[in-house]
Amino acid sequence: MVETPLRIRDFYRQDLDVLYAIDRICFPADIAFSRRDFRDFLGQGGSILRIADVSARISGFLLGRMEKSSLGRIITLDVVPGARRCGIGSALMEDFHRILERNGVRAAVLEVGTGNLGALRLYERMNYRRIGTLPGYYNGNEDALRMTRSI
């Protein structure tokens, strides 16, 4: 069996439609980003968008930002269903942590739905710890856990 190399790369404008489609697969319509949400977010200072390519196809992405000199935030981590549990999410997270570290950021934070058990396991394996619950965080329908880790 030949393993396909995973490449983490920068975002290109022509990726936007694919990212939009992936986000719609990964999250319900009331939570997923609109094209405008993506564009608005990318227009903000400190935005970080990293793409995971496998065989020259986008298999996932991480959208985050540096909120202040000492804090990075993961906004969303999306991996297409057929590529989950192959190390793509971990590779994107590690890449994000390296970017934060190079920029002197000391901690990362994220929110994750309490029912998203796969993501919770990933974040806990990556040394994130739970610091609180946010009732109704996802449009009043689902609670979220806030998690953090040192960089």
Side-chain angles (χ1 to χ4, degrees):
M1 180 174 159
V2 176
E3 288 196 29
T4 307
L6 169 65
R7 180 173 73 115
I8 306 296
R9 64 170 175 83
D10 290 328
F11 163 76
Y12 306 120
R13 288 280 170 201
Q14 63 265 30
D15 296 330
L16 187 59
D17 287 338
V18 176
L19 302 186
Y20 172 78
I22 290 171
D23 202 51
R24 295 275 168 189
I25 292 167
C26 293
F27 294 100
D30 64 333
I31 295 173
F33 279 74
S34 68
R35 283 180 179 88
R36 182 179 180 166
D37 291 336
F38 276 108
R39 283 191 294 270
D40 289 349
F41 187 83
L42 292 170
Q44 298 175 8
S47 296
I48 299 168
L49 179 50
R50 301 293 286 163
I51 308 294
D53 277 344
V54 177
S55 298
R57 295 188 67 192
I58 297 174
S59 297
F61 67 92
L62 184 147
L63 182 59
R65 76 169 158 235
M66 290 183 279
E67 292 194 332
K68 39 186 154 172
S69 62
S70 62
L71 183 66
R73 178 176 298 278
I74 294 171
I75 305 301
T76 191
L77 173 65
D78 293 29
V79 177
V80 296
R84 292 180 183 159
R85 292 177 180 68
C86 295
I88 293 169
S90 296
L92 285 163
M93 297 281 291
E94 289 168 0
D95 178 75
F96 182 70
H97 294 149
R98 280 190 296 273
I99 291 168
L100 295 178
E101 185 175 29
R102 279 195 310 263
N103 284 280
V105 175
R106 295 185 182 98
V109 65
L110 59 84
E111 291 79 29
V112 60
T114 56
N116 193 342
L117 301 180
L120 280 167
R121 284 191 294 270
L122 169 65
Y123 300 144
E124 287 171 344
R125 276 195 316 271
M126 302 215 62
N127 297 316
Y128 280 80
R129 61 182 169 75
R130 300 170 188 203
I131 58 171
T133 301
L134 305 168
Y137 182 80
Y138 292 104
N139 295 326
N141 298 322
E142 183 181 1
D143 296 348
L145 296 172
R146 179 162 287 148
M147 301 180 82
T148 190
R149 73 162 265 179
S150 297
I151 300 296

